[in-house]
Amino acid sequence: MTAWLRAQLARQLFLHVARRMGPALTGLRLHRPDAFFRRVGADGLIGFGESYTAGDWDADDLVGVLTALAGEVGTLVPPSLQRLRRLALPRAPLAVRGSPEGARRNIARHYDLSNELFAAFLDEGMTYSAAWFADPAAATWADLAPAQHRKIDRLLTQARVGPGTRLLEIGSGWGELAIRAARRGADVVSITLSEEQAQRARERASATRFPGKPDFRLCDYREVDGSYDAIVSAEMIEAVGARHWPDYFAVLRRRLAPGGRIALQAITMPHDRMLATLGTHTWVQKHIFPGGMLPSVPAIESLLGPLRIVERLSLREHYAHTLRLWRERYTQQHDLITKLGFDETFHRMWRFYLAYSEAGFRSGYLDVWQLTMERGRP
C-alpha cells in the first residue's frame, strides 16, 4: 500500500471517529493536517503520538481527548479494518527484547535519563508508581508523599515485613521502599539495572540514621541468589516483556522461602487487548519504555504455579490522580527541566506520555493492582 493511500485511509478513519465522537474531541486542533495523516497512515498509533510530539496537532484538554479515545479503543476502527490490524502494526524490534543484555539497555534508556529530571516532578521520596490517597479526587501535591508512603507501607505489611525479615525488592526505584523496610528492621536486598537509581538510592540510604542499611545491587532479577521471607516488586513486571514473564515468576517461586509472602504491584490491561497487542510495537514502547509489556490479571494468574493470590487491591483511580499530579508538576518545572538539557520536543513527548497514561486509568482501559501471594497448600 502506498504512503499516499495510507494517508487517505487515515484521513477517512479520522473523519469517521470525529463524526462518531463529536463533542468528546472538541478542542483537538490539526495544525498540519497533511503531516498528521501521513504519520498516522504510516505508523498508526505510533504516528498519532509522534505527530503530537512534532506539533502537528494540539488539544485544549489533552487528557480529556485521550481519555475519550481510550474509552473507545476497541471500537474506533471499523470491523472491516480491524481484521487487517495485526498485519499493519509494526512488530517489536529484536533489540529491545528482555534478555539480560537487552533489559539493561532498555532500563538505561528510561531510568538513566537523569536523576534530576525525575526529581523535578516526583515527590520527595522519588517514588515512581501509583500512590494510595485517602481521597484521590481531592488530592493535591502536598498529599502525594504521604500517599506514596501509605502505598509502600501496605505492600510491606501485606508481605509481613518486620524485624529480621529477609526481604528481596525487585526494582529499587530510588530507594524509598527499601529504606522504609529497613526502618522496620528488615534485612533488605534491593536490585535494579539502573546505575543512576542505584547511586541515588545508596546516597539516600547512607544519609539515614537507623543502623541497618539496604543492600542495593546492580543485578538482573534472573541473577539474584538467596532465599527470602518476603519479596516485594512495585511496577517492575511491566518492564520484563511477555516472553520473559515465565522467567520472572520462576524467580519469585525459587527465591521465596517456605511460609513467605510476595507483594506485587502491577499495571494491567484487559486480557483481550493484551492478546491483541502481543508482539506489536507501540508508541510507549518505542519512545518511553522499550521492551515493556503490560500483563493482564488472567495472564499473571496463569503463571503462578503453586503460588496463589490471597489479597488484591485496585488502585486504578489513585493512579489517574498520581499521574495528574506528576503532569501538573512537570509543567510547573518546565524551565528547570529545560536547563537540565531537555528540549521542547522532549517536553511534548513527556507531556503526551503522562497525559496518555493518565487517560488510560481514567477511562478504565488500564488498572493497577496490589496482589499478595503465598504458596498454596499441597
Side-chain angles (χ1 to χ4, degrees), residues 115-329:
N115 282 337
E116 289 71 26
L117 165 67
F118 290 99
F121 70 91
L122 297 178
D123 69 288
E124 62 201 38
M126 295 183 70
T127 304
Y128 193 32
S129 53
W132 187 24
F133 298 100
D135 183 356
T140 66
W141 179 256
D143 300 314
L144 182 57
Q148 291 291 11
H149 292 163
R150 185 181 296 112
K151 176 273 301 294
I152 289 171
D153 290 344
R154 186 183 190 277
L155 285 168
L156 296 175
T157 297
Q158 287 297 114
R160 296 175 178 160
V161 174
T165 301
R166 296 167 299 166
L167 170 65
L168 171 65
E169 181 189 21
I170 301 179
S172 302
W174 286 271
E176 187 71 7
L177 187 148
I179 289 170
R180 291 185 76 80
R183 282 202 184 101
R184 292 188 177 204
D187 182 10
V188 184
V189 172
S190 181
I191 64 170
T192 179
L193 290 177
S194 167
E195 295 185 8
E196 290 276 320
Q197 285 187 334
Q199 177 182 343
R200 178 63 64 89
R202 289 165 182 158
E203 291 170 354
R204 295 185 64 222
S206 295
T208 61
R209 296 180 179 178
F210 49 87
K213 309 291 185 185
D215 179 7
F216 292 103
R217 301 178 184 175
L218 275 171
C219 178
D220 187 272
Y221 65 94
R222 287 158 289 206
E223 300 166 348
V224 71
D225 56 10
S227 178
Y228 299 88
D229 306 309
I231 302 174
V232 177
S233 187
E235 296 181 27
M236 185 272 178
I237 189 176
E238 302 84 354
V240 168
R243 71 169 51 209
H244 296 286
W245 290 339
D247 301 333
Y248 178 83
F249 283 98
V251 169
L252 296 184
R253 293 190 298 268
R254 191 162 58 246
R255 297 304 164 203
L256 186 66
R261 272 194 163 195
I262 298 166
L264 173 70
Q265 184 163 310
I267 302 171
T268 64
M269 64 192 303
H271 192 62
D272 61 335
R273 300 304 304 169
M274 186 205 78
L275 293 176
T277 55
L278 276 175
T280 62
H281 200 39
T282 67
W283 181 87
V284 168
Q285 290 167 337
K286 181 176 180 180
H287 293 286
I288 305 297
F289 293 112
M293 178 68 193
L294 301 184
S296 66
V297 172
I300 290 173
E301 291 171 334
S302 73
L303 294 162
L304 295 181
L307 299 173
R308 63 188 180 100
I309 297 173
V310 296
E311 180 73 28
R312 61 184 78 200
L313 172 70
S314 170
L315 298 176
R316 181 180 66 79
E317 182 184 4
H318 299 261
Y319 216 160
H321 290 286
T322 303
L323 283 153
R324 168 178 62 82
L325 294 172
W326 290 346
R327 176 175 53 82
E328 292 169 354
R329 185 72 166 184

